[in-house]
Amino acid sequence: MGTEEKLNTLAEFVIKGRHIDAKKTAQELLDENVTPQVILDEALMKGMAVVGEKFRNNEMFVPQVLVSARAMKLVMTILEPYFTASSISKKGKIIIGTVKGDIHDIGKNLVSIMLQGAGYDVVDLGTGCTAEKFYDEYEKNEANVVGMSALLTTTMVYMKTVIDYFKDKKAEVPLIIGGAPINQKYADEIGADGYAKNAYDAVILVDKILEKL
Ligand code: B1M
């Protein structure tokens, strides 16, 4: 099987939630010197995009989406070392979490992995994070940037609650946001210090913000 065909097969395994086959195929691709970036972009992200489309059209339901997510996460465990191995000295500390009411964590995990790979210390708070949690962890860790992720239109509004909470506390740390329903306009509206469309842009954004400080 050629590389392109194998990448398509991997995307299919993610869509079907065949996690063991997905892991095996990803390992084969790595052994054939296909880069982790290509595997991520050309198979995993493509597969999850199809899952999202099918979910929206009621062709897939929560239990099936969960097994797709499990397959994506399992493959990420073998890709992660490639993304995080490069850093020598730490460039700064980032707090990251998915906001209250939201359990989506695949994108947030990817952002976390890419930031670690770019040389940042990342404290990942997981999902369902309240404003208090973000603030307490920021203080405890003396973080340089706080990042929030949200995947639902019903939870993205909570990002403003967090930003207002930090303002009330007069905390001067940059707050950045991301997630499928977020855009620059929304970030500006709620007073976020930055927005990134994907995990790659999140690294560029954090680099830029910390350069200015
Ligand atoms: Co959910 N879900 N889901 N889901 N789910 C969406 C988000 C949805 C768009 C699907 C759809 O209708 N097409 C829809 C939201 C609709 C809306 O609000 N407008 C939806 C819904 C409705 C729901 C439930 C309400 C369904 C239900 O129960 N009836 C429920 C909500 C539960 C809750 O959170 N309270 C639910 C549940 C789930 C599962 C548990 C089954 C599962 C999550 C598993 C998990 O994460 N552990 C799931 C999944 C997998 C999805 C889709 C299919 C895929 C999300 C994903 O992982 N994408 C999603 C459809 C979609 O987004 N197209 C959908 C891959 C990931 C790499 O991309 O997360 O966008 P993404 O992250 C990107 C960027 O956004 C960005 O970088 C990442 C990497 O490039 N980014 C940041 C993310 N965070 C960032 C932070 C940054 C910067 C960039 O700075 C800090």
Side-chain angles (χ1 to χ4, degrees):
M1 203 189 290
T3 302
E4 204 180 323
E5 206 181 331
K6 218 171 233 183
L7 287 165
N8 289 338
T9 305
L10 176 54
E12 247 344 279
F13 286 149
V14 169
I15 297 163
K16 295 198 170 116
R18 288 172 56 178
H19 61 292
I20 306 291
D21 289 330
K23 188 181 174 193
K24 191 169 157 273
T25 308
Q27 189 58 59
E28 283 170 18
L29 284 160
L30 285 172
D31 295 343
E32 288 161 22
N33 292 325
V34 178
T35 66
Q37 278 92 344
V38 167
I39 298 174
L40 178 63
D41 294 337
E42 303 299 322
L44 303 185
M45 297 299 281
K46 273 192 181 166
M48 283 312 281
V50 174
V51 172
E53 196 55 35
K54 285 183 181 283
F55 194 22
R56 192 173 17 251
N57 298 334
N58 290 324
E59 292 164 38
M60 272 177 90
F61 301 95
V62 172
Q64 292 143 298
V65 178
L66 268 175
V67 289
S68 296
R70 179 178 61 174
M72 164 116 188
K73 282 184 168 188
L74 187 65
V75 176
M76 281 313 297
T77 61
I78 60 166
L79 298 190
E80 186 170 353
Y82 292 86
F83 289 117
T84 53
S86 61
S87 57
I88 306 155
S89 62
K90 294 294 173 196
K91 296 200 287 192
K93 198 175 255 188
I94 321 291
I95 298 279
I96 190 164
T98 302
V99 298
K100 186 181 163 193
D102 201 321
I103 61 169
H104 295 86
D105 66 353
I106 296 173
K108 184 260 303 158
N109 294 348
L110 263 178
V111 174
S112 175
I113 288 168
M114 295 298 172
L115 285 170
Q116 287 177 58
Y120 291 100
D121 238 340
V122 178
V123 180
D124 190 331
L125 307 181
T127 57
C129 299
T130 60
E132 291 82 353
K133 172 96 177 161
F134 277 113
Y135 183 76
D136 291 350
E137 292 291 336
Y138 147 68
E139 268 212 312
K140 194 171 95 191
N141 291 286
E142 296 177 357
N144 305 99
V145 174
V146 174
M148 289 179 264
S149 180
L151 264 287
L152 300 171
T153 46
T154 48
T155 57
M156 63 190 255
V157 289
Y158 191 74
M159 290 171 154
K160 182 169 181 335
T161 306
V162 179
I163 291 172
D164 291 346
Y165 190 88
F166 273 72
K167 269 191 199 146
D168 284 349
K169 296 276 184 190
K170 306 209 175 344
E172 300 219 330
V173 63
L175 292 140
I176 64 165
I177 63 173
I182 314 295
N183 55 34
Q184 186 63 52
K185 186 170 171 278
Y186 182 68
D188 294 340
E189 257 169 46
I190 65 170
D193 297 290
Y195 153 75
K197 191 175 186 312
N198 55 45
Y200 300 116
D201 288 358
V203 172
I204 296 169
L205 174 67
V206 172
D207 281 347
K208 265 193 200 151
I209 286 176
L210 292 184
E211 238 168 56
K212 277 195 214 148
L213 290 182

